[in-house]
Amino acid sequence: MSMPPPGEGGGRTDPLAPAWHAVPLAELAERLALDAARGLSTEEARARLARDGTNALAHAKGPGALRKFLRQFTDVTVVALMVAALIALGLAFGESGPQTFLERFGDAAAIAFIVLMNAIIGFAQERRAESALRALETMTAPSATVLRDGVEAELPAVELVVGDVVLLAEGDRVPADVRLTEVAGFSAVEAALTGESTPASKQSDATLDANTMLAERSTMAFMGTYVATGRARGVVVATGMRTELGLIAGMLGSVQMPETPLSRELRRFGVQVVLGCVVVGLLVFGIGLWRLEAPVGFLFLVAVSLAVAAIPEGLPAITTIVLALGIQRMARRNALIRRLAAVETLGSAHVICTDKTGTLTQNQMEVRRVWSGGRTWGVRAAGPSSLEPGAPPPVLHDDELGEHLPALVTERPSLRTLLEAARFAPAASISGEGDERRLRGDPTDAALLALHDGYRRFGGGTHEVEPEPVAELPFDGDRKLATVVVRVGGRVTGFTHGAPERVLARVRRVLDERSGEQEVSEARLSALRALVDGWAADGLRVIALARRIPDSAPGSAARDALLRAYEDELTLLGFVGIADPPRPEVARAIATARRAGVATVMITGDHPLTARTIARELGLLGELAGDANQVVTGPELDAMSSEELARRCADIRVVARATAANKLRLVQALERAGEVVAMTGDGVNDAPAIKAASIGIAMGRAGTDVTREAADMVLADDNYATIVSAIEEGRVIYANIKRFILFLFASNAGLVLAVFVAAMLGWPAILTPTQILWINLITNGLPALALGMEPVHLDPMRSAPRRRAARLLTLRDVAWLSAYGGWMGVAGLLVFWGWRPGAVGPLYEHELALARTLAFTVLAFSPLFHSLNSRSRAHSVFELGFFSNWRLLGSFVAAASLQAVAVYVPAGQAVFGTAVPGARQLAAVLAIAASVWVVGELHKVVLRVTGLRAPLID
């Protein structure tokens, strides 16, 4: 048997390859060189597998563990610290004389420890996030039923080749792109590929154009989709990356993942800080060298230490820890983070582009409206959710009067008959008992079955005679009907449901509330069709229910005889309108997002009317005046020029009939407009847009592997409300990151000022290199970490998100940190000057050690007191609650205790060169250090009294 020409096997790599959905069945076997009755031979299948490769999507190979670990050392501040450690190490080797290990290598060891701990924390968190993600990767088709050598066999799906004949049944995942050759009531759930929320009915012999849209290719079943109902046989026409899923997955290679706002700001800020620190260090070294007041090696080490002090070396580690803790909090709220920076990026999101099915809605069809006997009834708490443990039964109410009538259902014969007929839904079933009862099968039939189940649960059907099944005519794409024939009390009845236009074409009578079955007139049929159109305009999928009680049962059980007997001359029982209802918490979450300045755009493959109705119900179309420009379709988006899309993208709130290319184009337009975009999705058609967005969000339950790999965050519950919660958490995290950055730079500014001014004045070194590093690591680092976990003070969702171009530190921030940093630096200089060598006695070395110890202590304790100011720039620590951040108080005590060890313990004195101060000296120094907190409290009092305190500044 010969193989098909190159390009036809995959069907899409060659521009001349056929559109398989449009190829007539008569030509299929010839084009693919196969025997449709026997399938491929084992030898031929092996040859094609060797030629085309396995039937698997290509996954980008991630970096190895070593590369991931080394990647932690690429930050500019970390590189600067590593250079400083190498310099300190070189100077240590050049020193002579009796010194302990810590005295000689303490500076280099301290810097190296900080850098190593930062790398370990970042690496561990990245690995943890990947482990959580791997636990979600379940979208595979492990096996497929294939016809090989004329025998049905169960084979691994990865071994499928073009030309294989596969058999598909309800519940199966389609293992490759398949051209259907035989179908029986076959439909597939294609939401992962097309975005359509309802199953797509399939046919084998439909005549389609080569340019038919993907969602309308009824002769095809696509890789990664599910079989909703029926059975089918087909021929594999594309595998792996040549499938429709594979083509979309391939688009990911051309999409670059954007840099997150936090990463960009920290990188830019880090470069500026490092350059400034180098300049300060060179100045100090130059001044000391000019005065020749100390050995060159010591001066160089002081300059390096000063530069290191100005660089907040705790910044990368503390940022990583704060983000990691944020990840843990988000995980408890069902948001799994893949990249650390994505935690904060959510807080700066301006737009959420979200999928509809399963994210905004419950991804389960339920009956929302019933028409029977000339009256319309609304349905509440119906659908599959009514089978959940503890859920209430459905409640029917009159749409016009708002009257709740659950007790009156049994008094209305036509309504009761319709509710009883809803049980005859052959493509769905209820499994389990008690709290374990669950619906399975076709979503439409499941919704009907749930309606009937709820009707019986509140007592409406307790006296029914259990029907005896006689025959079943399953739904198919040609008839668009399904019929169940049953015997009830000796009478055989056929119950039919399906598309309203098909049922109404066969209706001869209508069940009337008062007079029973009445002949239907053409005028009545027109009114019924108008009713159906009105429901469809409201976004409902309308199903008609009817029955037929023949005068005599057909003499044959053949399908044609049953069709004539039970699907002709029907009596209409009524209509039900079904929909995928919104999640109850989503409307509130959308309102919260809007209040926070975050717009929501719903992107779906659904019909525009359905999309518009859901959007109105959720409050999406209430943001702007009118909705004419807020709802667009994929084809309309394609027709827009780049300039027009740039003008309109900010107003768009709904995109219906959207394709993968539409989603990607909209996201890129919003990004170019300066918006920070969060894009959610579950299907492979969402993956390119997810990767292009500032923050990509994949679904954990319904999502595909390709989508999750492209995403920054995975929703374990597939819920839009979780995204809004994550945005709130992201804003809190950013506020805390900025809080400890301001604290660190204010404290470091005090250090730099004290050392720099002392050098300019020709004083001896005010601090030793080891003392500088100790302050930076302990008395600055511990409170900074605690500030990174500061609890929420105000509602973070009351203000608009910061703009993409916003600086990490504003001029107001710089003025604030400079003022308090200056206060702490001056305090250190005054203490050193007050006990400077020669001022109080002849013992120079002892005086120098004491002066340094006192300056060391005030510069160590000042940041501890300033950390109380840094909790809020507007609110007093007494307003916030002195003990509300117990971690900060703990860090205060821990840092103070460690400082006492450095001053009073002999081993600490040897390492840090400290002398024991007297009680009065210590009390005076602590009072001076505490003055920074007193000044901060007075400043906040002035702000409150004068009314200058901005309510949203925290």
Side-chain angles (χ1 to χ4, degrees):
M1 185 179 293
S2 63
M3 290 185 288
E8 288 198 8
R12 298 299 298 273
T13 55
D14 190 323
L16 300 179
W20 291 109
H21 59 275
V23 172
L25 289 178
E27 301 177 18
L28 190 63
E30 180 181 354
R31 291 203 185 199
L32 293 176
L34 65 97
D35 182 346
R38 292 182 54 80
L40 296 177
S41 67
T42 302
E43 294 76 14
E44 177 67 14
R46 272 201 207 100
R48 296 189 183 193
L49 185 64
R51 181 196 66 185
D52 296 334
T54 59
N55 177 37
L57 297 180
H59 294 272
K61 187 177 180 181
L66 179 60
R67 186 175 174 185
K68 289 177 183 176
F69 182 72
L70 295 177
R71 196 164 56 189
Q72 311 300 321
F73 298 93
T74 57
D75 183 82
V76 62
T77 55
V78 174
V79 172
L81 290 173
M82 289 190 293
V83 171
L86 291 175
I87 294 173
L89 186 64
L91 293 173
F93 278 114
E95 292 181 2
S96 58
Q99 288 181 309
T100 65
F101 176 84
L102 284 177
E103 288 176 321
R104 175 169 291 189
F105 297 103
D107 303 320
I111 300 173
F113 174 77
I114 294 169
V115 172
L116 184 62
M117 286 304 298
N118 175 67
I120 291 173
I121 292 169
F123 176 73
Q125 182 55 50
E126 190 172 342
R127 298 278 286 190
R128 187 181 299 114
E130 289 178 354
S131 297
L133 187 67
R134 281 195 296 271
L136 291 170
E137 292 179 349
T138 58
M139 185 178 177
T140 56
S143 62
T145 304
V146 186
L147 194 64
R148 290 267 178 95
D149 296 312
V151 178
E152 289 185 17
E154 196 83 9
L155 296 178
V158 294
E159 296 181 9
L160 286 182
V161 297
V162 172
D164 263 326
V165 177
V166 297
L167 306 177
L168 301 170
E170 185 175 315
D172 288 350
R173 186 185 293 277
V174 181
D177 282 4
V178 176
R179 173 63 164 90
L180 301 173
T181 57
E182 298 177 24
V183 297
F186 187 79
S187 66
V189 178
E190 299 179 342
L193 183 63
T194 66
E196 289 278 6
S197 58
T198 56
S201 298
K202 300 294 182 179
Q203 302 170 324
S204 59
D205 55 356
T207 301
L208 301 178
D209 185 81
N211 297 320
T212 301
M213 292 178 58
L214 184 66
E216 298 173 1
R217 295 177 188 174
S218 59
T219 59
M220 296 287 296
F222 299 105
M223 182 182 189
T225 61
Y226 288 96
V227 179
T229 60
R231 301 177 301 278
R233 174 185 290 232
V235 179
V236 174
V237 294
T239 60
M241 293 300 289
R242 298 181 182 89
T243 63
E244 293 295 338
L245 281 181
L247 289 173
I248 297 174
M251 292 172 62
L252 292 173
S254 61
V255 177
Q256 295 297 319
M257 190 172 289
E259 187 178 19
T260 67
L262 179 64
S263 300
R264 182 172 55 252
E265 291 173 30
L266 288 178
R267 175 179 49 79
R268 181 175 58 195
F269 189 60
V271 170
Q272 295 170 348
V273 168
V274 168
L275 291 176
C277 294
V278 170
V279 171
V280 171
L282 290 175
L283 280 173
V284 170
F285 177 73
I287 293 170
L289 192 63
W290 174 58
R291 294 181 180 275
L292 293 176
E293 294 171 341
V296 174
F298 181 81
L299 288 174
F300 191 63
L301 188 57
V302 169
V304 170
S305 299
L306 180 62
V308 171
I311 297 173
E313 62 265 29
L315 178 59
I318 296 172
T319 302
T320 301
I321 293 172
V322 170
L323 291 176
L325 292 173
I327 283 177
Q328 294 176 8
R329 291 195 299 272
M330 285 186 175
R332 289 193 290 269
R333 300 174 80 168
N334 293 314
L336 303 178
I337 303 297
R338 293 192 67 202
R339 289 198 298 158
L340 278 177
V343 178
E344 179 278 331
T345 308
L346 277 164
S348 59
H350 305 142
V351 180
I352 303 173
C353 293
T354 177
D355 188 31
K356 176 184 76 72
T357 305
T359 306
L360 300 177
T361 63
Q362 300 178 28
N363 196 21
Q364 54 185 19
M365 304 301 289
E366 70 174 28
V367 176
R368 307 294 297 279
R369 197 177 296 174
V370 172
W371 180 90
S372 174
R375 297 191 62 178
T376 298
W377 306 76
V379 182
R380 296 175 180 171
S385 60
S386 67
L387 296 186
E388 296 295 330
V395 175
L396 289 94
H397 63 95
D398 188 279
D399 272 2
E400 296 177 359
L401 303 178
E403 182 184 1
H404 293 263
L405 303 169
L408 300 180
V409 173
T410 54
E411 300 176 13
R412 298 182 177 274
S414 62
L415 179 59
R416 183 175 68 249
T417 301
L418 180 140
L419 293 174
E420 291 170 354
R423 73 179 300 174
F424 303 111
S429 62
I430 299 176
S431 62
E433 297 292 336
D435 288 347
E436 300 300 321
R437 298 173 79 237
R438 292 293 182 271
L439 278 167
R440 303 185 185 280
D442 175 74
T444 299
D445 279 19
L448 294 174
L449 192 57
L451 177 67
H452 171 78
D453 182 79
Y455 156 67
R456 295 197 65 175
R457 285 171 63 192
F458 70 70
T462 53
H463 303 293
E464 291 183 42
V465 176
E466 196 67 24
E468 175 189 347
V470 174
E472 179 182 309
L473 294 164
F475 183 91
D476 67 48
D478 292 328
R479 291 163 42 247
K480 296 188 182 299
L481 301 172
T483 297
V484 175
V485 181
V486 297
R487 182 178 285 106
V488 182
R491 186 171 60 177
V492 177
T493 304
F495 291 95
T496 297
H497 72 268
E501 64 274 14
R502 297 299 177 91
V503 173
L504 291 176
R506 300 165 184 260
V507 162
R508 296 295 177 267
R509 287 169 292 277
V510 177
L511 186 61
D512 187 74
E513 189 68 67
R514 296 179 180 177
S515 52
E517 296 188 11
Q518 294 292 315
E519 293 290 330
V520 63
S521 64
E522 191 59 40
R524 184 74 181 276
L525 283 175
S526 297
L528 291 173
R529 293 188 183 101
L531 174 72
V532 170
D533 291 342
W535 284 18
D538 291 338
L540 296 175
R541 185 181 182 191
V542 186
I543 305 297
L545 289 87
R547 76 179 180 192
R548 171 78 192 281
I549 306 174
D551 296 332
S552 60
S556 169
R559 181 174 183 272
D560 289 343
L562 292 173
L563 289 175
R564 286 193 301 271
Y566 295 104
E567 290 191 355
D568 283 336
E569 300 185 359
L570 297 173
T571 297
L572 180 69
L573 303 179
F575 303 108
V576 296
I578 64 174
D580 182 4
R583 290 177 179 262
E585 67 278 10
V586 165
R588 184 171 60 254
I590 288 175
T592 300
R594 184 186 304 118
R595 178 164 52 87
V598 181
T600 302
V601 180
M602 183 177 78
I603 306 179
T604 177
D606 280 344
H607 190 280
L609 287 176
T610 303
R612 188 187 296 270
T613 300
I614 292 291
R616 283 175 177 162
E617 192 168 347
L618 291 172
L620 272 177
L621 299 182
E623 300 177 46
L624 305 173
D627 61 8
N629 294 323
Q630 297 184 65
V631 181
V632 299
T633 64
E636 290 172 348
L637 204 66
D638 288 334
M640 293 183 195
S641 65
S642 298
E643 293 74 17
E644 183 182 1
L645 181 58
R647 288 195 308 270
R648 292 189 56 185
C649 65
D651 295 335
I652 294 173
R653 291 295 175 267
V654 177
V655 182
R657 293 296 193 205
T659 64
N662 298 146
K663 298 175 184 182
L664 178 60
R665 189 172 181 226
L666 178 62
V667 167
Q668 290 176 332
L670 288 167
E671 291 276 349
R672 283 194 297 270
E675 309 287 1
V676 176
V677 181
M679 172 71 198
T680 78
D682 53 5
V684 175
N685 61 335
D686 300 316
I690 283 176
K691 186 176 180 182
S694 299
I695 175 73
I697 305 171
M699 302 297 111
R701 293 179 179 176
T704 64
D705 288 351
V706 173
T707 310
R708 286 193 286 262
E709 287 177 4
D712 304 294
M713 184 176 90
V714 178
L715 298 182
D717 60 356
D718 294 7
N719 193 340
Y720 172 90
T722 300
I723 303 172
V724 178
S725 297
I727 288 176
E728 180 178 355
E729 189 67 49
R731 291 189 175 189
V732 172
I733 289 170
Y734 180 81
N736 283 345
I737 288 174
K738 186 168 182 176
R739 184 174 281 114
F740 75 68
I741 285 176
L742 285 170
F743 165 76
L744 281 176
F745 276 96
S747 303
N748 289 4
L751 270 179
V752 171
L753 178 67
V755 175
F756 183 73
V757 171
M760 293 289 291
L761 295 175
W763 293 356
I766 191 172
L767 297 172
T768 67
T770 308
Q771 289 172 347
I772 292 174
L773 290 171
W774 176 261
I775 292 173
N776 227 343
L777 180 63
I778 301 301
T779 62
N780 290 0
L782 291 179
L785 181 58
L787 287 170
M789 293 177 276
E790 177 72 16
V792 180
H793 302 159
L794 302 171
D795 183 1
M797 302 299 279
R798 287 175 58 191
S799 57
R802 68 186 187 281
R803 304 308 302 174
R804 181 185 289 272
R807 297 281 179 171
L808 183 62
L809 297 184
T810 64
L811 290 176
R812 185 172 178 271
D813 297 329
V814 173
W816 187 86
L817 70 86
S818 298
Y820 285 100
W823 187 278
M824 290 185 282
V826 169
L829 288 168
L830 289 174
V831 167
F832 186 80
W833 178 80
W835 281 277
R836 67 190 184 282
V840 292
L843 299 178
Y844 180 85
E845 289 299 329
H846 174 72
E847 292 168 4
L848 178 59
L850 179 60
R852 278 180 177 159
T853 299
L854 295 175
F856 177 37
T857 301
V858 77
L859 289 171
F861 271 91
S862 294
L864 296 181
F865 286 105
H866 181 54
S867 66
L868 301 176
N869 291 333
S870 300
R871 291 187 61 189
S872 171
R873 284 183 284 165
H875 295 83
S876 166
V877 68
F878 299 103
E879 291 181 85
L880 302 175
F882 208 86
F883 298 98
S884 59
N885 189 347
W886 58 268
R887 297 179 182 86
L888 184 61
L889 297 181
S891 70
F892 193 112
V893 173
S897 301
L898 290 171
Q899 180 66 17
V901 169
V903 173
Y904 289 102
V905 175
Q909 294 170 355
V911 172
F912 295 100
T914 54
V916 178
R920 289 186 177 181
Q921 293 170 330
L922 180 62
V925 164
L926 291 179
I928 293 172
S931 66
V932 69
W933 175 45
V934 175
V935 170
E937 288 295 317
L938 292 174
H939 178 232
K940 293 171 185 177
V941 170
V942 172
L943 289 178
R944 184 170 63 252
V945 171
T946 58
L948 296 177
R949 183 170 72 179
L952 297 182
I953 293 177
D954 190 15

